[in-house]
Amino acid sequence: MSLEEQQIPDMRGTLSRSGSSSRDVGEGQNPEPPSPSSGRGIKKRRESGSEEEQSALVSFEESSSSSLTADPPPHPSSSPPSQPQCCPSAPGSSVARCCHGGAKMAALAYNLGKREINQHFSVRNAKALALAAVLLLSVCHAVSWGFFRGEGTCEYLISSGRFLGENVWQPYSCMMHKYKSSEAKSCFAEQHVTFVGDSRIRQLFYAFVKILTPQYKEEGNKHENIYFEDKAAMLKIDFLWHPEVNNSMKQAFQSLSENDISKSTMVIAGAATWSIKINNGSRESLAQYKVNMTAVAPVLENLAEVSQVYWFLQDPVYEPLLSESRKMITNDRIDAYNDIAAGILNGTTRKSQSKVNIFSVSRLISEEIISKSFDGLHLPEPSKDISAMVLMNAFCNKIVNPIDGSCCQPTPSLTIIQKLAACFFIFAMIAFVLIIVQRNKHRRNKQCNDIESGEEKKPATATPAASSLENLLFSLSKLGLIMAYFYFCDRANLFMKENKFYTHSSFFIPIIYILVLGLFYNENTKEAKLLNREQTDEWKGWMQLVILIYHISGASSFLPVYMHVRVLVAAYLFQTGYGHFSYFWLKGDFGIYRISQVVFRLNFLVVVLCIVMDRPYQFYYFVPLVTFWFMFIYATMAFWPQILQKTANANSLWNVGLILKLSSALLCIVFLSYSQGAFENLFSLWPLSKLFELNGNVYEWWFRWKLDRFAVFHGMLFAFIYLLLQKHQMLFEGKTEALFSTKVSSVLLFFSVVSFFTYSIWASSCKNKSECNEMHPSISVVQILSFVLIRNIPGYARSVYSSFFAWFGKISLELFICQYHIWLAADTKGILVLIPGNPMLNIIVSTFIFVCVAHEISHITNDLAQIALPKDRSALAKRLLCIAGFFCLLLILSALQNT
């Protein structure tokens, strides 16, 4: 799978989890929004460091880099939202009397209904329902389909499935890998495979060989043995012509089982149509077939002791195309022969102990496409190719262990680090339970003592707040349970997995649906500043939802969608540069507490998943990416000379100095982007290599970094220009005011719309991903800026936002990370199946659980950040030393388990 086709994650990164809490940023500095009636440019503002100037970007920074809870507290100094009016009114106007009793009653009923719904359908109730669903589904899956059998998916692979689309086969309950020639040769190196049977088995033989050697040509006499050998890989594949189940076939099987020189590791056999044809479909031939199968069965069982044996049940025929000499081969007769073979070999029931595998899935495949057969008997190309690939998965998956091939793969053994993590979470749960039991016991003893002493019962007092230790253990206990769910979803064989399959409807219909929901749930913003807090949450939210749909639908195969999603990725990084630059420029807070808070909130969940899921840090590539860019922004702003807004207000020449610093940062980016060798050498140094290597090299990190290398710089530059314009009173940010003067706003809005759609036309006309990816870093900013201006130039557009999208925007980091394992499957290559047989219901249930888990992890991260990173410098230094020691221990354990 190419790097471009790998999933593009939620880019919330710094936007919703990368900073300190709103209490740390200083929410109280937000002023009252300017009155619409105050006029444009009439209000004079202070020239240096005014509260109003700072509030615009501090508010954004709180949203974009330090949105720590799902429901951030309101700004204390912001004006309360105005009460809704049923109609506009003016003093002395009769229109003011239009708010009659009916409208008031309707508004009251709406508010009461909304309150009633929120009371019964709260987030807490939703999480309780999600927990119950997880427990119920876990029990059902464990009991129903052989969780404790280890390799039960192999039976489903060769017996059942369905078509997702044209020639795209989906086995029941597991994912099928599409093997390349190199992978197949690696799997079958020094192996011997034998096909025994009639012309249909010969077709399967050819299809199997072509997976190993695509240029192989079908040659040789059709009714003779055929031999294939790859001397480089030291593998042999033979076809033995035995079109009937008779004594000749029996002797062939005996010869294979007794051959000690070249034992066959896999034997594929099947025959019946010749018996039907030669005997004109008589009942006597059916009886003789039963006798012969009875004689062959013990020999096959003996062969199965040393080889993997697959007996192919006969595929159906397309009777209208059969020639006159084959008219007796009917589907009814084929079914009768298949019933005899399956009954004798005893491989059709799940309780069977037979070692001969009944390969019945080919019948299901051919039932759908046998009409494409050229003569009604022989298999069409898709049928034999799919059957050959199923065979390849049945044998090779346990050897090659492909990520997107879950069929026949056993549950991986736990590593040392995973075992220690499990013990840690179990210990936290036990300790929390003991604390709760001890506290309740102490409370009961105190009540008994009060009664015995005859003291008058005092009024109940509020329950004292839980201690920091209790909060810590409670958060770790919840996290441990959630991590168990992650593990069972994507590492154990408890839940099912399926391959992705892209269709236009699977992507665009959900997009339209969430768009309607987003437009329906809209509210007024607290202020109308450019990129205000509610708007940035909304922006992150709808982008995240689009990206989630992009992932689960497999839309990366459709180039226009891929290119537009690349813009969404760049937009997240643009917000990263905008938000962090604004914070440092306005606040000048370069302390260790700020850095620790940002890095902890960005990386906490990813580090835990690296431990629990046994994945490298770079696997969750966007978190390393936004962490790197945060440190890059920090270095740009913190290194000498530190240029802040207050220094620039005192002397405007410092603005030139800042431009020079930004130019130097841009030169560094350009140098690294055109020096792949220097880039790889830098990040291959220990211990950086432990963070940025994937599959033994840093190329993936280089590719991801280069793809959106200018987006953060664009965000920083845009923030600087915006603050400069705001300082010189060139922007009008009232709720009913356009951002610029009427003429300028109209011109900018026109060019923004044209630029937005021009980029879309270009993206839709791209020829290939590599060509488009080369252009993307330089031109993605066009559509990003176009969107920002379209969204913010009209005053009414800045004054409203979608609360639906904003809610998801506040947990976008958790949604991005969690989707890897509990919404998608097989490390994003497939789809998690909690409810088999009903794709729509499965998506609804798995999405509901996924969102609830992400929301809860958001709260857990927030709680643990407050506990782990105190504001006191000495205490913080000690905690950071402990964290450093923890990572040193991880490095040691990782080295031990890799030896």
Side-chain angles (χ1 to χ4, degrees), residues 780-837:
S780 60
V781 68
V782 173
Q783 196 165 45
I784 295 171
L785 289 179
S786 298
F787 171 80
V788 171
L789 293 177
I790 293 170
R791 184 69 177 83
N792 286 274
I793 286 178
Y796 63 85
R798 296 196 311 275
S799 302
V800 295
Y801 77 103
S802 169
S803 57
F804 176 80
F805 290 142
W807 190 89
F808 286 97
K810 293 168 187 173
I811 58 169
S812 56
L813 177 63
E814 290 74 23
L815 290 172
F816 151 55
I817 300 173
C818 292
Q819 69 170 327
Y820 274 72
H821 303 295
I822 63 170
W823 198 51
L824 304 175
D827 295 340
T828 74
K829 302 301 187 297
I831 299 171
L832 179 67
V833 178
L834 299 177
I835 302 178

Side-chain angles (χ1 to χ4, degrees), residues 426-550:
I426 292 173
F427 171 79
M429 295 177 196
I430 294 173
F432 175 72
V433 171
L434 290 177
I435 288 177
I436 295 300
V437 171
Q438 185 66 25
R439 188 175 65 182
N440 291 337
K441 182 179 179 181
H442 176 73
R443 185 180 302 168
R444 287 196 299 269
N445 290 339
K446 185 178 179 181
Q447 290 175 352
C448 292
N449 292 335
D450 291 343
I451 294 173
E452 291 175 0
S453 62
E455 293 182 3
E456 183 179 353
K457 186 177 180 180
K458 297 179 181 180
T461 58
T463 303
S467 64
S468 296
L469 177 59
E470 186 175 330
N471 289 333
L472 173 64
L473 293 175
F474 182 53
S475 296
L476 291 176
S477 298
K478 291 190 294 182
L479 184 63
L481 292 174
I482 291 173
M483 288 301 106
Y485 178 63
F486 272 76
Y487 181 83
F488 283 117
C489 282
D490 207 21
R491 286 297 172 269
N493 287 328
L494 178 59
F495 298 112
M496 303 178 182
K497 304 174 181 67
E498 288 189 354
N499 295 88
K500 298 178 184 179
F501 178 70
Y502 176 74
T503 61
H504 291 321
S505 60
S506 67
F507 177 77
F508 289 104
I509 290 178
I511 292 292
I512 294 172
Y513 180 70
I514 65 165
L515 178 62
V516 172
L517 284 176
L519 294 175
F520 182 77
Y521 292 98
N522 63 82
E523 298 179 11
N524 293 328
T525 59
K526 295 175 181 177
E527 57 183 3
K529 294 186 178 298
L530 182 143
L531 290 177
N532 56 70
R533 178 167 188 169
E534 292 91 349
Q535 185 186 136
T536 53
D537 282 339
E538 172 201 271
W539 192 6
K540 291 177 291 183
W542 70 257
M543 288 194 299
Q544 175 58 35
L545 292 176
V546 170
I547 291 173
L548 288 175
I549 295 171
Y550 167 86

Side-chain angles (χ1 to χ4, degrees), residues 238-543:
D238 301 335
F239 168 71
L240 306 181
W241 172 255
H242 291 282
E244 291 188 86
V245 179
N246 52 24
N247 192 55
S248 175
M249 179 180 281
K250 178 181 176 181
Q251 291 177 353
F253 291 143
Q254 288 176 335
S255 176
L256 290 173
S257 61
E258 295 170 358
N259 189 344
D260 295 329
I261 299 176
S262 180
K263 284 187 177 295
S264 295
T265 52
M266 186 165 66
V267 176
I268 301 96
T273 54
W274 269 68
S275 298
I276 298 174
K277 177 183 176 181
I278 293 174
N279 297 286
N280 200 29
S282 65
R283 293 183 179 180
E284 291 77 10
S285 67
L286 182 62
Q288 187 61 45
Y289 182 82
K290 184 175 182 179
V291 171
N292 293 343
M293 279 299 306
T294 304
V296 167
V299 181
L300 283 175
E301 287 290 341
N302 291 334
L303 181 60
E305 295 288 342
V306 295
S307 306
Q308 288 190 30
V309 178
Y310 295 91
W311 182 267
F312 265 66
L313 297 183
Q314 294 298 297
D315 294 345
V317 296
Y318 190 60
E319 297 180 17
L321 289 181
L322 291 175
S323 62
E324 288 298 325
S325 61
R326 294 172 175 166
K327 286 294 184 181
M328 72 291 296
I329 308 175
T330 64
N331 286 322
D332 290 338
R333 290 186 174 125
I334 288 177
D335 290 341
Y337 277 72
N338 284 336
D339 290 341
I340 289 175
I344 292 173
L345 295 175
N346 197 26
T348 56
T349 62
R350 293 187 55 80
K351 296 182 179 180
S352 170
Q353 299 298 317
S354 174
K355 295 181 180 180
V356 178
N357 302 291
I358 299 297
F359 198 97
S360 59
V361 71
S362 60
R363 297 176 62 195
L364 299 177
I365 297 169
S366 295
E367 283 175 359
E368 300 286 338
I369 55 178
I370 192 62
S371 59
K372 298 179 182 179
S373 171
F374 67 92
D375 61 0
L377 174 67
H378 291 96
L379 305 176
E381 289 289 330
S383 179
K384 63 181 183 180
D385 291 342
I386 294 172
S387 295
M389 194 60 69
V390 170
L391 275 175
M392 193 71 68
N393 276 259
F395 184 85
C396 291
N397 281 1
K398 61 176 69 70
I399 299 172
V400 179
N401 294 319
I403 294 176
D404 60 341
S406 63
C407 300
C408 300
Q409 281 204 46
T411 302
S413 58
L414 292 174
T415 64
I416 297 174
I417 296 177
Q418 286 176 313
K419 292 176 181 177
L420 290 175
C423 293
F424 173 78
F425 284 123
I426 292 173
F427 171 79
M429 295 177 196
I430 294 173
F432 175 72
V433 171
L434 290 177
I435 288 177
I436 295 300
V437 171
Q438 185 66 25
R439 188 175 65 182
N440 291 337
K441 182 179 179 181
H442 176 73
R443 185 180 302 168
R444 287 196 299 269
N445 290 339
K446 185 178 179 181
Q447 290 175 352
C448 292
N449 292 335
D450 291 343
I451 294 173
E452 291 175 0
S453 62
E455 293 182 3
E456 183 179 353
K457 186 177 180 180
K458 297 179 181 180
T461 58
T463 303
S467 64
S468 296
L469 177 59
E470 186 175 330
N471 289 333
L472 173 64
L473 293 175
F474 182 53
S475 296
L476 291 176
S477 298
K478 291 190 294 182
L479 184 63
L481 292 174
I482 291 173
M483 288 301 106
Y485 178 63
F486 272 76
Y487 181 83
F488 283 117
C489 282
D490 207 21
R491 286 297 172 269
N493 287 328
L494 178 59
F495 298 112
M496 303 178 182
K497 304 174 181 67
E498 288 189 354
N499 295 88
K500 298 178 184 179
F501 178 70
Y502 176 74
T503 61
H504 291 321
S505 60
S506 67
F507 177 77
F508 289 104
I509 290 178
I511 292 292
I512 294 172
Y513 180 70
I514 65 165
L515 178 62
V516 172
L517 284 176
L519 294 175
F520 182 77
Y521 292 98
N522 63 82
E523 298 179 11
N524 293 328
T525 59
K526 295 175 181 177
E527 57 183 3
K529 294 186 178 298
L530 182 143
L531 290 177
N532 56 70
R533 178 167 188 169
E534 292 91 349
Q535 185 186 136
T536 53
D537 282 339
E538 172 201 271
W539 192 6
K540 291 177 291 183
W542 70 257
M543 288 194 299

Side-chain angles (χ1 to χ4, degrees), residues 33 54 63 88 107 127 143 197 208 212 248 265 270 343 353 370 417 451 522 604 621 667 741 766 772 824:
Q54 293 190 11
S63 169
K127 291 177 183 177
V143 172
F208 193 86
L212 295 154
S248 175
T265 52
Q353 299 298 317
I370 192 62
I417 296 177
I451 294 173
N522 63 82
F604 171 72
Y621 82 90
L667 286 176
S741 64
C766 273
C772 296
L824 304 175

